Amino acid sequence: MRKILLGAIISMLAAGSLASSGTLAGKTAPDFALKSNSGANVRLSEHRGEVVMINFWATWCAPCRQEMPLLEALFSRYERVGFTLLGVNIDDDPRRAMAMAQELGVTFPVLFDASKDVSKLYEVNAMPVTVILDREGSVRHVHHGYKPGYEEKYLSEVRALLRE
């Protein structure tokens, strides 16, 4: 019974049916550095001056797989005007993440958080979680889960921040 209840809660979180209250909105985003799929370390603070989306995802997360091509389209469209997207993968084996990113045609940086330290800093308790930062590095929006149509909200929020 306990397993069934836990599974139902996890499914609702992943689908975006439940939202964490989150304490990050309005605060400066915690800085971090993680190894990327290019082999280089990427530090969040190096992206000050840009609108940044951080998307926490895992290969076992069906909504993540559904959302990634839509995030790629957003990145491709707005990268040249000061937008960056950092995909933070929490799998224990980065090879699975790299294979999925390649399969889906992802060109934005994929960062590896196998230790889950960065995920803890960002209060990630379900997949996916999307955090949008303004040019000063403040957390402006936090989205838990993914359902079709969320990408329209992301687009609206990113456009508004790019105009600021």
Side-chain angles (χ1 to χ4, degrees):
M1 177 66 171
R2 197 163 139 180
K3 277 186 176 181
I4 293 170
L5 182 58
L6 181 59
I9 290 171
I10 289 170
S11 294
M12 287 189 302
L13 282 168
S17 299
L18 297 175
S20 168
S21 60
T23 57
L24 289 174
K27 295 183 180 174
T28 299
D31 197 18
F32 61 84
L34 291 170
K35 185 163 289 298
S36 73
N37 55 339
S38 71
N41 287 332
V42 172
R43 180 171 293 282
L44 177 62
S45 58
E46 294 169 350
H47 293 281
R48 283 282 164 86
E50 300 173 5
V51 173
V52 177
M53 176 183 280
I54 307 167
N55 179 260
F56 293 89
W57 64 281
T59 57
W60 47 262
C61 165
C64 299
R65 177 177 285 277
Q66 185 179 11
E67 174 181 60
M68 287 187 77
L70 304 168
L71 296 178
E72 174 62 31
L74 184 65
F75 174 69
S76 296
R77 185 171 179 183
Y78 291 100
E79 177 187 22
R80 69 185 185 286
V81 294
F83 171 70
T84 196
L85 198 159
L86 304 174
V88 178
N89 178 268
I90 65 153
D91 283 83
D92 294 332
D93 183 355
R95 292 175 297 185
R96 288 195 309 254
M98 291 189 48
M100 182 170 150
Q102 185 174 14
E103 172 192 337
L104 296 174
V106 167
T107 63
F108 57 80
V110 174
L111 313 180
F112 306 109
D113 185 27
S115 67
K116 320 289 188 281
D117 292 335
V118 175
S119 301
K120 288 175 192 159
L121 277 177
Y122 281 81
E123 303 171 0
V124 173
N125 54 17
M127 293 288 122
V129 170
T130 302
V131 180
I132 303 175
L133 314 178
D134 64 21
R135 294 179 189 274
E136 284 74 48
S138 293
V139 176
R140 296 289 288 274
H141 306 282
V142 180
H143 301 277
H144 298 268
Y146 173 76
K147 287 184 182 177
Y150 280 21
E151 64 278 4
E152 293 302 320
K153 187 158 198 68
Y154 300 160
L155 176 63
S156 173
E157 292 168 352
V158 166
R159 281 181 173 167
L161 290 172
L162 286 169
R163 285 191 298 265
E164 287 185 3

